[in-house]
Amino acid sequence: MNKTLLTAFILLPFLMISQSLVVTGDTLVYGLNQDFQIESHLIVKNVSNDTSLVLCEKNVISQSSSGDNAFCWGGTCYGTGTMISTKLDTLDPGEQTNGFTGYFYPSWISQPTGACSSVVEYCFYLQSNPQDETCITVTY
């Protein structure tokens, strides 16, 4: 009995974590050799009952040696070296925003085959609880 109660108290905080955000959008985007940039547009929706202050984190999973990536979130755009937004977006309960754009800038000139790619994971999370996050992976 005591072990059961102890286990319940240890697991309870993990069971109470809920997803406050839903992220949708194209997970595969592409362009032609003459395209200077390839864009990904995502929609982030607050499905909680509370106003959410949301940050965005970029994780580059893989990328061609030639090419750069950037993203815009919360009204601010960030270059290749920025992994976490410094600005946040405020979403009321049930509100969604299309205020995210991910960019991949391929360097076609240095790729004789014309193949240049990047795989980037974007995670959106609450400022008040970074563990309440939702991620989506985009292949450029």
Side-chain angles (χ1 to χ4, degrees):
M1 174 75 170
N2 286 341
K3 284 185 178 182
T4 303
L5 285 175
L6 180 60
T7 303
F9 283 117
I10 291 172
L11 292 177
L12 190 59
F14 297 104
L15 298 174
M16 293 176 67
I17 294 174
S18 66
Q19 293 294 114
S20 296
L21 305 170
V22 172
V23 181
T24 57
D26 292 330
T27 57
L28 177 62
V29 292
Y30 58 91
L32 302 174
N33 284 7
Q34 68 269 18
D35 291 341
F36 172 71
Q37 72 183 23
I38 302 170
E39 298 180 9
S40 168
H41 300 276
L42 301 176
I43 296 171
V44 180
K45 183 175 183 177
N46 178 3
V47 295
S48 75
N49 294 324
D50 299 316
T51 298
S52 297
L53 304 176
V54 183
L55 291 161
C56 177
E57 181 176 357
K58 171 184 78 174
N59 301 302
V60 179
I61 296 170
S62 68
Q63 184 167 288
S64 299
S65 60
S66 59
D68 289 311
N69 60 69
F71 70 100
C72 298
W73 175 250
T76 302
C77 293
Y78 304 94
T80 299
T82 302
M83 299 309 209
I84 301 175
S85 64
T86 56
K87 302 288 182 182
L88 46 84
D89 205 346
T90 303
L91 298 177
D92 290 326
E95 182 181 11
Q96 68 181 27
T97 180
N98 60 354
F100 173 88
T101 305
Y103 298 96
F104 176 57
Y105 303 102
S107 179
W108 301 115
I109 295 170
S110 62
Q111 294 291 324
T113 63
C116 193
S117 65
S118 181
V119 179
V120 182
E121 176 187 58
Y122 300 102
C123 295
F124 300 86
Y125 61 90
L126 304 184
Q127 179 186 36
S128 62
N129 182 6
Q131 294 168 335
D132 189 351
E133 72 173 4
T134 302
C135 300
I136 190 167
T137 300
V138 177
T139 301
Y140 299 91

